[in-house]
Amino acid sequence: MSNTLGAFSAMDIAASGLSAERVRMNTIASNLANAKTTRTAEGGAFRRMDPIFRAEALDESATGNMSGISKVSVGRIVRDPRQGMLVHDPQHPDANAQGYVEYPNIDVVEEMVNMITASRAYEAGVSSIESIKGMASAAIKIGG
Amino acid sequence: MAISPVNPGSVPLLSPHIDGGVELGKVAPFDEQRDTEPSAFEKLFASTVASTNERLQTADAAAKDFASGKTDDIHGTMIAVTEADIQLRLLGTMKNKVVEAFYELWRMQI
């Protein structure tokens, strides 16, 4: 959509938010699925992933007040640097020389909270699309 | 009386998608033979028809891609369909207004 003031711009913006929240949901699902993974391709325990969102101008050519209106996109997905939990278990195949196994730095409760946030954010995006549709339908009824 | 079967070839197809009847996306050009310029409203209406066609085709493609598994973008598909729906209803309302205006003139007592 080239025109910043286009009737469907708000829908495009909301759609970008929905896509971003879907990416967040994917990383949360991955974090939860790998909450106890001790072996990865890079070596070591799985590390928690977090998507970093960034604003993306809706229309590069827009000026003034309109230039701030932005879509959202996922800039990159970063690994959480926090240390994972060390559990003493010398029998474990992934135990280190001291007999400790490093588990992922994932707190399942924290992930559940993030999941609810992502789910609610998605619902909010859908609500805004519904509102935009309602406004357009109301406008069509003018003079009818 | 003998009943003759209906020849399928003699029945005009109403669906614009089948057998290249009416092609979507093609807006009839203005009549070049006439001597008057198309009015501003006529131009507006024609451009609305054209953009509605475009949106319907986008929605059509999105629905096809989703149905055939080419994409799993649920909200993108629904938004494309919703945009086409709004645009089509706008066009329908504009058409109703024009027809209403025409009948208003038709009923005028002279």
Side-chain angles (χ1 to χ4, degrees), chain A residues 32-143:
Chain A
L32 282 173
N34 288 292
K36 294 287 173 204
T37 304
T38 55
R39 197 176 292 188
T40 57
E42 304 91 60
F46 186 83
R47 297 225 159 252
R48 182 175 169 272
M49 294 191 300
D50 209 10
I52 306 296
F53 290 177
R54 67 181 168 79
E56 193 181 278
L58 180 66
D59 183 358
E60 298 292 348
S61 61
T63 54
N65 291 332
M66 293 299 158
S67 60
I69 296 174
S70 309
K71 294 204 267 190
V72 64
S73 70
V74 178
R76 60 204 180 100
I77 296 172
V78 295
R79 297 273 180 181
D80 193 330
R82 280 183 291 181
Q83 171 69 41
M85 189 172 54
L86 289 170
V87 176
H88 187 66
D89 183 5
Q91 309 301 317
H92 197 285
D94 293 324
N96 62 13
Q98 287 77 42
Y100 283 95
V101 182
E102 190 194 355
Y103 278 95
N105 53 357
I106 293 166
D107 180 0
V108 174
V109 178
E110 185 190 327
E111 294 304 318
M112 292 301 289
V113 172
N114 289 341
M115 191 169 82
I116 292 168
T117 313
S119 167
R120 291 286 181 267
Y122 194 93
E123 281 172 32
V126 172
S127 295
S128 69
I129 292 171
E130 287 293 324
S131 291
I132 297 153
K133 193 188 164 197
M135 283 164 71
S137 300
I140 288 173
K141 289 195 194 95
I142 292 173

Side-chain angles (χ1 to χ4, degrees), chain B residues 89-102:
Chain B
R89 277 193 288 139
L90 172 66
L91 183 67
T93 310
M94 281 171 77
K95 186 270 294 173
N96 289 342
K97 284 275 168 205
V98 177
V99 173
E100 211 177 287
F102 172 75

Side-chain angles (χ1 to χ4, degrees), chain A residues 8 19 22 122 137 140 143, chain B residues 55 73 75 82 89 93 97:
Chain A
F8 296 112
S19 298
R22 201 174 48 192
Y122 194 93
S137 300
I140 288 173
Chain B
R55 264 188 216 286
D73 187 5
H75 65 252
T82 306
R89 277 193 288 139
T93 310
K97 284 275 168 205

Side-chain angles (χ1 to χ4, degrees), chain B residues 25-55:
Chain B
K26 287 252 174 88
V27 181
F30 295 123
D31 185 2
E32 285 161 9
Q33 299 299 313
R34 67 181 185 186
D35 46 5
T36 52
E37 279 287 297
S39 67
F41 178 79
E42 190 175 337
K43 284 179 186 161
L44 176 72
F45 194 77
S47 76
T48 309
V49 170
S51 67
T52 305
N53 255 322
E54 209 174 289
R55 264 188 216 286

